[in-house]
Amino acid sequence: MKRVVIDTDAGVDDSIAIAYASRFPDVTIELITTVSGNVPVSEVTQNVLYLRGILGVNSPVFSGAGAPRSRELVTAPEVHGEDGVGGYRKSEGISFRGWETGGAASEIVRAARKYGRKLTIISLGPMTNIAQAVMLDAAAIKGIGNVVQMGGVFSGYGNTSLFTEFNIFVDPESASFVLESGVKVTFVPLDLTETLFLPRELANELLMKINESSPDLAQLFRKALNYYIDYHKRNDKLDGCFLHDAIAVAAAIHPEWFRFIGSSVSVETQGKLTAGMTLADFRKKAGRESSRIAVAFDGVRFMTDLSRRVFGYRVGTSTVSQKCLRERFVADFRNHLR
Ligand code: BDR
Ligand code: CA
């Protein structure tokens, strides 16, 4: 049995990631904690509570940081909607009262103390809660099995400022604090997650299929995914979307589908143009690598597994190879010099 804590800023791809994590019979989601990122934490918590209900999951939910460690919150309503799920929850008037409020960081610590090496934290948003947990009890967080972080970009361009990925951009101080504390982090960076995308056509097939088994989930995902795909179409000229956070869940649960490189990672916190940039020198083997970075994975395996578990749809491996895998653009000066 694998025990996980999910820390999330849900978020469209976070919602798919949580649904995915909930569909492994040998994985227990011990706790879900929420953090401001894609949308403010109050919206995130509402999304998680709604998802928990329709997924039939009974993991406790605790809300966490409303703002980054030492800067103003930046959100992404243009990507995920004002409510984080493409406007679905707001349009349906779904809201919850009387939920457990606050305490995310101390609950993460409590789980870390209780389960130690058996626990994996899957962090799908800015690292604010994780940093607070480290402040409360660094030894407990160092003692867990793994912290898997969706975030960072190590070669090529980012998705927020020029060289930054959103989760690290929002709270670079927390990311830096966690790394400096000696907690080993497994990064699932943008370089990797942007090599796979879900085309609109396949998304529609998945939505039709899930409607038969989970109409509530189908309605939520229909609105959320369409909003998210429309953003990618406008912004990335891709008629589809990325599944960043679900890939991080796969890296936590099925690390054997991934190739990792050990490296020390630093986070820029000062730069006017580069705050939030993640740096790893892959040439050096310093012998004290603080992190692991996922550099390759079996995207076909991931996509077929996700489709089956979340949507009840057996998508063919050749469909995935032909339609979902993509080369990510990386600047190469030599091409410009030719
Ligand atoms: C990350 O930022 C958020 O928008 C997504 O949910 C994901 O966690 C991708 O950069
Ligand atoms: Ca996220």
Side-chain angles (χ1 to χ4, degrees), residues 84-100:
V85 283
Y88 179 75
R89 203 170 35 73
K90 285 282 150 74
S91 68
E92 297 294 311
I94 298 164
S95 69
F96 298 84
R97 287 169 200 276
W99 41 274
E100 303 91 315

Side-chain angles (χ1 to χ4, degrees), residues 9 13-14 38 80 124-125 150 159 165-167 190 244-245:
D9 63 339
D13 60 322
D14 304 68
N38 290 322
H80 298 269
L124 306 177
M150 190 284 129
N159 62 356
E165 178 282 327
F166 180 80
N167 289 337
L190 200 70
H244 312 283
D245 292 341

Side-chain angles (χ1 to χ4, degrees), residues 28 45-46 51 55 76 101 125 130 136 144-145 177 196 247 250 253 279-280 293 309 337-338:
T28 307
T45 308
Q46 294 285 322
L51 260 174
L55 289 169
T101 155
I130 313 297
L136 289 174
I144 71 165
F177 176 80
L196 181 137
I247 297 175
I253 296 174
L279 297 109
I293 301 166
R309 289 187 197 270
L337 294 176
R338 268 187 210 126

Side-chain angles (χ1 to χ4, degrees), residues 170-187:
V170 170
D171 193 352
E173 285 77 14
S174 285
S176 178
F177 176 80
V178 172
L179 291 166
E180 293 293 316
S181 76
V183 170
K184 288 202 191 302
V185 176
T186 297
F187 283 93

